[in-house]
Amino acid sequence: MPTPFSLRQLLAAAALALPALSQAAYPERPIEWVVPYAAGGGSDVVARVVAEPMAKALGQSIIILNKPGAATNIGADYAARAKPDGYTLLTGDTGTLAANAFLYQKLSYSAEKDFAPVGMLVRFPLILVVNPKLPVKNLAEFSAWAKAQQGGVSYATPGAGSPHHLATEIFKEQAQLSLVHVPYKGAAPAVQDVLGGQVPFMFVDSVAGFQNIQAGKLRPIGIATPQRSKVFPDVPTLDEQGLKGFEAYAWQGLVVPKATPQDRVNRLSEQLQATLKDPAVVKRLEDMGLEVTPTSRSEMDKFLVTERNKLGPVIKTNNIQLD
């Protein structure tokens, strides 16, 4: 006759069953996805494109919550303070997860201590573009023209500390050019002044520059990717034009509050990767000018370390501060 379970044995068995039950039950209610940008922009659209199929697979709706402002710090602070239960996600980007720690003397959150990676989302390749009236068509001609200008050459960016700004500072050093930064409040006015000829060039991200490049209103000199982009296959890389190893993107990934249960983070990560491999999702994002970048949690963790190690010295050397 079997020996009856003791109370201790029953409790131990119940404890072993808890992770499986937790994973099976999650999610039981809608999930909130925080986007630290205004509704209607590129970051908002990316989140909505990805959230829709993820929600169907998870069996619960995903609600997009836009919290723009302070170079993503408002949204990041909100997510960092949220309950770590798997029901709050955050779009973390170049600033939130890598650059802001160096750009601000004080932050209300720590990218390393307050967030755990779920997986990368997309990359926005950066493209060196000029006003078409400029007498240059490749990197060699651009460099020769820039070096011939007295007092240096002005360049536009969507703002101080933006990926575009940091990329241009790296470019300036590698290409040995004298450049003057002209920051704008967003990509749209920066692009507009390059179109109008008030500023001769900029590094534009693939989304902000897509239509104007396609229409011939901006001339692409080179793209800052290791290989030519699927989106702009006729644009040579800067690397192949002699700027060896030059690579620059704006990028986004998905994170959760640090103490979120591992089984829930794993489920989100697996579903995110599956969604980003869906041909329909990939097409929608690539049609916007984006590169889709599904990664594991550990791969994203390594990427973030690399980005912090790259951007930190650039910010410190050029004394770029936002507070």
Side-chain angles (χ1 to χ4, degrees), residues 65-272:
L65 179 63
N66 298 95
K67 283 196 166 290
T72 77
N73 290 334
I74 291 175
D77 177 67
Y78 175 88
R81 296 172 184 273
K83 186 177 179 180
D85 55 6
Y87 289 95
T88 301
L89 315 177
L90 170 71
T91 293
D93 67 2
T94 314
T96 316
L97 301 178
N100 284 359
F102 304 99
L103 292 169
Y104 291 87
Q105 293 183 17
K106 291 183 179 180
L107 282 179
S108 58
Y109 69 92
S110 165
E112 297 180 69
K113 295 178 181 178
D114 291 335
F115 297 117
V118 174
M120 296 300 294
L121 286 164
V122 294
R123 296 193 300 194
F124 300 65
L126 296 183
I127 307 161
L128 173 60
V129 296
V130 299
N131 183 290
K133 293 181 181 179
L134 214 64
V136 299
K137 293 184 178 179
N138 55 48
L139 180 60
E141 292 177 358
F142 175 84
S143 296
W145 171 82
K147 289 176 180 178
Q149 306 308 304
Q150 295 294 325
V153 176
S154 297
Y155 70 92
T157 73
S162 63
H164 315 66
H165 178 201
L166 302 181
T168 315
E169 291 297 332
I170 298 172
F171 171 75
K172 176 178 75 174
E173 182 178 339
Q174 290 193 19
Q176 299 182 326
L177 299 176
S178 177
L179 303 178
V180 180
H181 182 211
V182 181
Y184 289 78
K185 292 183 178 180
V191 169
Q192 195 60 44
D193 271 11
V194 176
L195 290 171
Q198 288 86 349
V199 184
F201 88 98
M202 70 180 293
F203 272 91
V204 69
D205 66 75
S206 53
V207 174
F210 187 79
Q211 291 184 343
N212 286 308
I213 291 173
Q214 297 287 69
K217 295 179 179 180
L218 289 175
R219 177 182 295 151
I221 298 299
I223 190 166
T225 52
Q227 294 85 33
R228 294 198 183 198
S229 168
K230 292 180 184 178
V231 182
F232 302 101
D234 296 329
V235 179
T237 69
L238 292 169
D239 179 273
E240 70 182 89
Q241 295 184 72
L243 205 63
K244 296 301 180 183
F246 186 78
E247 185 177 345
Y249 301 87
W251 49 261
Q252 294 182 347
L254 193 62
V255 296
V256 292
K258 191 79 167 184
T260 301
Q262 293 298 302
D263 61 319
R264 297 186 175 188
V265 186
N266 287 338
R267 184 165 186 208
L268 289 167
S269 181
E270 290 165 5
Q271 193 53 60
L272 175 63

Side-chain angles (χ1 to χ4, degrees), residues 29-47:
R29 55 185 171 84
I31 295 170
E32 190 174 74
W33 183 330
V34 181
V35 176
Y37 292 95
S43 301
D44 178 66
V45 174
V46 169

